[in-house]
């Protein structure tokens, strides 16, 4: 039987970096040379690979929504030639890109695995080798035809992950959804059923630039600050609230600022600052006040997924009422309805 074919899309990030005068930095062609020196990549147990490199390679802190779109286009333009796709990415904004790809790749029927590493592939104590080999197996396996993240021995739904460690090899967690696969001595499927392949063909929407923001509430936050963030041309806001979705209500001006922005068509999505659990705007008076102001529940979405979803919905030019409706719905397994 012929080996499966997997495209490696290298966007940048620690996995392919080299030490420079100011610390680790992207280096064109460096990863290709390292991969060529890995004998395991010719093993019949792994798929054949082809590498495509971003120009310029980016530390993921430098990535913007237009770069999410570039990754989606790389996959779209080679979709029929490969069995699966591995996106090599920096860890800093990997959760945003993985979430965005889950929305952008409509009709996806093949695995797209996003990975990276905490230590570059070229270093002795690297975690890149394990993350890469795991990703290649998932991408070639075909059992998970959705966007996943493979990192630190776990394969997780891409729009459920968040970066939880800047130093540990288990850098990502999926706090509100069980891992899809655990890569231990055995490859163990998780308790949740994988998503069925979406109805093709693959489609990638052209996103127009939109003005969105994320705002984390803090004790002492003023209505003026909130009103300033909500000023035009803002069209969407991810509000990171306390606990089950609560916000300060003692000064009505803060709620008035939110209600007036919602009245102008700004879509405000409520996500919790808590790592686990989600928003229930009927649990406390401080939460139901937000619902009355027109804030939409983000349920148990991560703030990263909520932001990527807003950019994707608003970027297609949908009406605010439609964006509000879709923001609260489960579209790609990103929230528990
Ligand atoms: N700053 C790096 C990046 O996100 C960190 C990493 O890759 O781990 O590109």
């Amino acid at each position: 039987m012929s080996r499966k074919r997997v495209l490696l899309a290298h966007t940048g990030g620690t996995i392919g970096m080299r030490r420079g005068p100011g610390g680790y930095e992207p280096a064109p062609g460096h990863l290709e040379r390292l991969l060529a020196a890995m004998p395991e990549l010719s093993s019949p147990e792994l798929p054949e690979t082809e590498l495509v490199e971003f120009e310029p390679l980016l530390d993921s802190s430098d990535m913007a929504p237009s770069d999410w779109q570039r990754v989606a286009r790389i996959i779209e333009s080679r979709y029929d030639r490969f069995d699966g796709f591995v996106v090599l990415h920096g860890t800093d904004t990997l959760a945003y890109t993985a979430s965005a790809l889950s929305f952008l790749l409509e009709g996806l029927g093949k695995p797209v695995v996003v990975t990276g590493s905490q230590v570059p592939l070229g270093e002795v104590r690297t975690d890149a080798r394990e993350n890469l080999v795991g990703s290649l197996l998932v991408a070639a396996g075909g059992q998970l035809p959705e966007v996943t993240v493979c990192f630190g021995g776990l394969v997780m739904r891409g729009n459920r992950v968040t970066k939880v460690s800047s130093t540990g090899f288990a850098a990502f967690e999926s706090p509100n959804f069980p891992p899809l696969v655990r890569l231990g001595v055995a490859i163990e499927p998780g308790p949740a059923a994988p998503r069925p392949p979406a109805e093709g063909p693959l489609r990638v929407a052209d996103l127009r630039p939109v003005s969105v923001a994320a705002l984390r509430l803090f004790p002492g936050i003023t209505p003026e600050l909130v009103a300033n963030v909500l000023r035009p041309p803002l069209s969407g806001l991810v509000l990171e609230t306390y606990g089950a979705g609560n916000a300060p209500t003692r000064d009505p001006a803060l709620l008035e600022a939110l209600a007036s922005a919602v009245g102008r068509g700004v879509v405000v999505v409520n996500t919790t600052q808590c790592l686990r659990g989600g928003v229930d705007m009927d649990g406390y008076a401080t939460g139901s006040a937000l619902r009355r102001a027109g804030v939409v529940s983000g349920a148990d979405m991560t703030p990263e997924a909520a932001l990527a979803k807003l950019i994707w919905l608003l970027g297609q030019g949908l009406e605010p009422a439609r964006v509000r409706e879709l923001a609260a719905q489960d579209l790609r397994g990103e929230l528990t309805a």
Side-chain angles (χ1 to χ4, degrees):
M1 223 177 65
S2 65
R3 281 164 80 195
K4 295 274 182 70
R5 286 174 53 72
V6 168
L7 180 80
L8 289 170
H10 179 33
T11 64
T14 298
I15 190 161
M17 285 190 187
R18 211 168 38 191
R19 204 180 284 280
Y24 288 136
E25 59 188 24
H30 182 58
L31 187 84
E32 192 172 10
R33 286 189 288 278
L34 293 173
L35 293 176
M38 280 177 72
E40 56 270 54
L41 290 188
S42 350
S43 156
E45 287 175 54
L46 291 182
E48 279 175 24
T49 55
E50 196 174 304
L51 180 73
V52 48
E53 211 168 75
F54 250 38
E55 265 183 52
L57 289 167
L58 296 172
D59 183 301
S60 78
S61 307
D62 277 326
M63 286 184 81
S66 55
D67 298 305
W68 306 338
Q69 182 113 33
R70 279 169 67 199
V71 180
R73 292 272 178 236
I74 286 176
I75 293 170
E76 185 193 31
S77 62
R78 294 157 174 87
Y79 192 64
D80 294 333
R81 290 177 36 218
F82 292 90
D83 300 292
F85 303 84
V86 172
V87 179
L88 302 172
H89 199 285
T91 60
D92 289 347
T93 67
L94 186 151
Y96 293 89
T97 301
S99 297
L101 289 176
S102 79
F103 298 115
L104 276 166
L105 297 169
E106 283 182 84
L108 182 66
K110 295 182 180 182
V112 172
V113 191
V114 189
T115 194
S117 68
Q118 295 280 51
V119 177
L121 182 60
E123 305 260 328
V124 173
R125 282 195 63 243
T126 185
D127 53 331
R129 190 173 297 262
E130 194 178 318
N131 291 345
L132 176 63
V133 169
S135 299
L136 288 172
L137 289 172
V138 175
Q143 289 93 343
L144 296 171
E146 58 175 299
V147 178
T148 56
V149 168
C150 176
F151 213 100
L154 297 176
V155 183
M156 298 160 278
R157 179 158 292 156
N159 52 33
R160 291 289 196 158
V161 304
T162 189
K163 185 173 178 181
V164 292
S165 174
S166 63
T167 50
F169 287 165
F172 290 89
E173 275 187 24
S174 169
N176 285 327
F177 195 78
L180 296 163
V181 173
R182 284 179 193 277
L183 302 167
V185 172
I187 296 183
E188 291 169 41
R195 282 176 75 74
E199 296 274 307
L202 186 75
R203 299 173 300 279
V204 178
D206 249 325
L207 299 189
R208 59 173 86 152
V210 286
S211 174
V212 296
L215 179 63
R216 184 178 169 96
L217 295 180
F218 55 89
I221 190 167
T222 61
E224 293 74 31
L225 187 144
V226 175
N228 268 328
V229 172
L230 289 164
R231 275 211 310 235
L234 197 87
S235 58
L237 177 72
V238 175
L239 193 63
E240 295 180 34
T241 59
Y242 306 129
N246 307 316
T249 51
R250 262 158 86 189
D251 183 347
L254 193 146
L255 290 166
E256 279 160 22
L258 286 165
S260 125
V262 170
R264 292 195 313 269
V266 179
V267 181
V268 184
V269 179
N270 189 353
T271 63
T272 176
Q273 294 178 12
C274 294
L275 183 60
R276 273 172 244 289
V279 162
D280 170 10
M281 287 196 281
D282 293 315
Y284 292 86
T286 46
S288 60
L290 285 178
R291 186 167 42 69
R292 283 195 303 280
V295 172
V296 180
S297 170
D300 60 356
M301 261 191 295
T302 60
E304 294 92 324
L307 191 92
K309 190 175 180 181
L310 262 186
I311 292 173
W312 174 68
L313 291 171
L314 292 165
Q316 293 172 70
L318 302 177
E319 289 302 315
R322 183 73 181 136
V323 175
R324 289 162 53 89
E325 207 178 305
L326 292 173
Q329 282 177 24
D330 173 18
L331 303 180
R332 303 280 197 272
E334 74 279 13
L335 60 80
T336 313

